[in-house]
Amino acid sequence: DAGVTQSPTHLIKTRGQQVTLRCSPKSGHDTVSWYQQALGQGPQFIFQYYEEEERQRGNFPDRFSGHQFPNYSSELNVNALLLGDSALYLCASSLDNPYEQYFGPGTRLTVT
Amino acid sequence: GQSLEQPSEVTAVEGAIVQINCTYQTSGFYGLSWYQQHDGGAPTFLSYNALDGLEETGRFSSFLSRSDSYGYLLLQELQMKDSASYFCAVREDFNKFYFGSGTKLNVKP
């Protein structure tokens, strides 16, 4: 039973560029949440997707957008990258009652 | 606003018991989760409390008092592999979790 997978593992981008991160949820899960984790901090909720719609959003600007596909996989897009966007981006999947979330290994994004 | 307070670092010896506290102030509350994260790894789910009281899962227990906006994670019979960061997370809305900054647990032989 495959767990949550994310790609790429690491990414280096230049300020102002755009980036797309990908996530495949755990088998059988239909809900995907994205988190940003800065070094030494806890994960911060970006948004959640369910049935291909953004269902809930945290305190992140519109530069952060996402998508969910019919197979429940998801993408996180960040436009106009800032140095402060450097972080570990985590994807978590769950069933519709999401108190137990399964996290992927994350994508380490470095913006220079 | 939202705030979660947990100690930044705790040190304990192998075989001992350690308690990691979490106090919270959020606009909504559905429950409190605990996650473990080893360096370089993904957070893994440990427990969830929606109601007051103690939940036990093996060596780990979690407690919640909604009236005090307080919870704790209790780790018994500490092992070296328990060295990790532990996060409390408030389920602020049905689909939204707000994580604390984490407690780094150092287990010494």
Side-chain angles (χ1 to χ4, degrees):
Chain A
D1 179 20
V4 180
T5 60
Q6 292 186 243
S7 63
T9 306
H10 295 88
L11 203 51
I12 299 175
K13 288 287 189 178
T14 303
R15 197 169 36 179
Q17 286 188 316
Q18 178 263 343
V19 69
T20 297
L21 311 182
R22 295 176 175 81
C23 170
S24 290
K26 181 177 168 62
S27 178
H29 285 185
D30 57 7
T31 302
V32 172
S33 301
W34 285 92
Y35 292 84
Q36 180 195 67
Q37 186 174 26
L39 204 59
Q41 299 297 314
Q44 299 300 306
F45 177 77
I46 302 175
F47 42 53
Q48 184 184 87
Y49 276 84
Y50 172 71
E51 291 190 341
E52 303 179 49
E53 297 284 332
E54 182 184 292
R55 180 159 67 174
Q56 193 105 43
R57 190 176 184 92
N59 298 324
F60 280 80
D62 292 344
R63 298 187 297 109
F64 290 78
S65 64
H67 188 78
Q68 186 179 36
F69 299 93
N71 67 352
Y72 307 123
S73 67
S74 177
E75 287 181 349
L76 165 65
N77 301 294
V78 187
N79 293 324
L81 283 167
L82 303 174
L83 296 179
D85 294 332
S86 295
L88 180 68
Y89 287 84
L90 294 163
C91 166
S93 75
S94 58
L95 292 173
D96 192 32
N97 187 359
Y99 73 83
E100 182 171 352
Q101 298 183 83
Y102 290 78
F103 283 83
T107 294
R108 173 72 61 187
L109 172 66
T110 302
V111 182
T112 62
Chain B
Q2 310 146 326
S3 71
L4 269 79
E5 297 286 335
Q6 50 179 131
S8 59
E9 192 163 354
V10 172
T11 300
V13 296
E14 207 172 4
I17 299 172
V18 71
Q19 178 173 315
I20 299 174
N21 298 321
C22 174
T23 57
Y24 58 87
Q25 183 176 355
T26 55
S27 56
F29 185 84
Y30 281 74
L32 186 72
S33 295
W34 289 91
Y35 284 82
Q36 177 193 63
Q37 187 177 31
H38 287 97
D39 283 347
T44 56
F45 173 81
L46 294 177
S47 69
Y48 177 74
N49 296 68
L51 302 174
D52 286 358
L54 191 68
E55 295 280 342
E56 297 180 74
T57 309
R59 295 188 297 114
F60 294 1
S61 303
S62 58
F63 172 82
L64 175 65
S65 169
R66 294 175 67 123
S67 60
D68 295 323
S69 298
Y70 164 76
Y72 66 72
L73 179 70
L74 191 74
L75 296 84
Q76 302 182 73
E77 301 172 17
L78 280 174
Q79 302 175 8
M80 297 299 293
K81 68 178 182 179
D82 297 330
S83 292
S85 291
Y86 292 83
F87 296 92
C88 60
V90 166
R91 189 179 182 186
E92 185 183 43
D93 200 335
F94 189 77
N95 301 305
K96 189 173 176 180
F97 285 83
Y98 183 72
F99 280 72
S101 296
T103 298
K104 186 173 176 62
L105 172 63
N106 302 302
V107 180
K108 296 189 177 301

